[in-house]
Amino acid sequence: MSDLMQTFPIRRIVEHGPGVKSFYFDKIFNVEAGQFINLWIPGLDEKPFSVSSITGDQIELSIKAYGPFSKEMMKKKAGDYLGIRGPFGKGFSFHDKALIIGGGIGIAPLRILAQKLKEQNNTFISLLGAVTRQEIIFSSWWDSLGQRHFTTDDGSLGLKGVVTDVLPEILKMNDIKYIYAAGPEIMFVKVKEMIDPTGIPYEFCMERYMKCGIGICGQCVLDGSGIRLCVEGPVLNKEALSGITELGMKHRDASGRRV
Amino acid sequence: MINTHFLNIELKSPTVLASGILGLTASSMQRVIEFGCGAVTTKSFSLDWRTGHKNPSIIPFEHGMLNAVGLSNPGIDEMVKEIRLFRRQCTAPVFASIFGRTLDEFGEVTRRAAEAEPDMIEVNISCPNVHSEFGQPFGESCPDTAKITQIVKKHAGKIPVSIKLGPHGPGIGKLAKICEENGADAITAINTAGPGMLIDINVRKPVLANKTGGVSGPAILPIAVKSVYEVYRSVKIPIIGTGGITKTGDAIQMILAGAHILGVGTAVYYEGIEVFDKLNKGIENYLKEQGFDSIEEIRGAAHE
Ligand SMILES: Cc1cc2nc3c(=O)[nH]c(=O)nc-3n(C[C@H](O)[C@H](O)[C@H](O)COP(=O)(O)OP(=O)(O)OC[C@H]3O[C@@H](n4cnc5c(N)ncnc54)[C@H](O)[C@@H]3O)c2cc1C
Ligand SMILES: Cc1cc2nc3c(=O)[nH]c(=O)nc-3n(C[C@H](O)[C@H](O)[C@H](O)COP(=O)(O)O)c2cc1C
Ligand code: FES
């Protein structure tokens, strides 16, 4: 682990489809499922990204083109040097008979979670949704892991619709003991409404604007609880989430304003 | 815990959260208080919101931290709301840290900040990482330091004012004297030092987006101790000794140099928020072991 900024070359790149890629670096540190790193494009900016898997002796980051930073990432080539600080934060805890719910590129931290759950012989069902098929990264890999459900807004993979369309049925048909979620906060708010009444415990991997990643600047602190998402998160359990008053509401930008 | 009096303010402990660390929101500041911090200082704020510099803006290195946050803040309206909210939720003192781009703006921000009734207004005239935008920090010029102190005092009403100085410029003892002569109630010493720079050897570029940034943490402890020592010799008003305090011994050194209370920032990274509890207990133990009853007995002892 190193909180200090160090630069490393990209070893290889996998393209999942237009605007979604995975980048591989030497495994410079060990990482818990759900932890993130701060990635620096020299001369541009630095942003947080989940580690999406450990594959052999490499770590993987999976990135979707969105704004200036992630679009610049799409232009990067193997051999280019990028800065990495981390890993930061606390990851997922491991439980058997789990349900993994992911939305869009939020699937990234769930991939490494699934890897680790499997390593420890925990069973799980996955329910992954996205706008379109390339955003369900590594879909055939998920196929190989057991019961899985895909949804896409355009119907290009799995069911046409969203994860919450199929969630009630999955809950009814299976003995689920733990739920993991990652993805857009609005998705999670809807998921939460459905799973709260069941009493099943859960964890959600959350996102906020981050600067330091090391619990100093206060940028990622959540209203209500004072939790620093970069240190005590990004994965929060049901109890931690219940103390947050800003879930599904406006977030702070780089200045600290709610926008 | 060691109750501490400072400018007619009652603190439950002598350790204070330094400006720019976890001081953006009421929730955040309240959490720090729960870890034994005696008072909180808000992030420095200005009239209008500011995005600050791009990232990387905060990076640790082996002996400390380099930051060029660039005085990002949500602006005075948001911060006044957060101070008021903190007041409602928490009885611990809160210090409002303010800055302005111009001398007049210092007056206006002070007037507005005073409406939130903070226990003290801390005036940041020494941020070293907005050079490209603001030029030389006001706090490195004697005439500007005098003028800002006057303007702020005029608008602060009955709320006490501490001027936050850096280690650079015409001499911190001299600057502190100017602040005292112009009505300052306290001095906060020091802000970050430098600015400094770190360069990545593979991409051959400065790591901070702003290229340069203020140095904090263990690396600056000797500079901070010496600065507090100088200020103590030159003025009678109390000092918030800040800079590099991580361990008990650092805190004691600051008190021996003359600090009244202690600002703690970067140590939150090294020791966690628990650092406040740890320092408070450490100070208490030191006093007991050395046969003292209070901090007063050792304050400035290094001068004797
Ligand atoms: C813990 C964490 C893990 C993440 N993991 C991934 C991942 O695995 N894959 C992935 O593609 N993206 C991930 N992100 C999002 C990523 O950090 C960027 O926000 C995203 O790439 C968009 O940046 P942009 O500059 O391209 O777009 P922008 O237009 O700048 O930003 C788009 C949105 O991203 C958010 N954002 C922007 N800057 C930051 C910042 N410094 N910190 C946090 N949020 C910001 C804002 O809400 C903004 O509205 C993660 C974010 C967090 C906080
Ligand atoms: C990330 C960061 C942000 C800071 N922001 C401010 C600020 O907004 N206003 C200010 O007066 N000082 C600011 N400072 C300076 C600190 O308040 C403190 O004076 C300095 O860091 C030395 O103390 P330390 O070594 O305990 O951190 C900041 C320091 C850091 C590390
Ligand atoms: S990003 Fe700075 S405290 Fe979390």
Side-chain angles (χ1 to χ4, degrees), chain A residues 6 8 12 34 42 62 65 77 88-89 94 114 116 121 125 149 171 187 197 213 215 220 223 226 231 248 250 255:
Chain A
Q6 288 176 279
F8 303 94
R12 63 190 175 97
S62 300
K77 305 255 174 320
F88 298 131
F94 300 139
K116 301 251 175 177
N121 295 319
I125 298 168
H149 307 261
L171 289 172
M187 172 200 88
C220 69
D223 275 356
V231 174
K250 289 177 178 177
S255 75

Side-chain angles (χ1 to χ4, degrees), chain A residues 47-50 62-64 66-67 69-70 207-210:
Chain A
K47 303 238 171 186
F49 289 90
S50 304
S62 300
I63 300 181
K64 183 189 166 193
Y66 196 94
F69 188 96
S70 45
E207 292 185 13
R208 282 294 178 274
Y209 191 92
M210 288 184 185

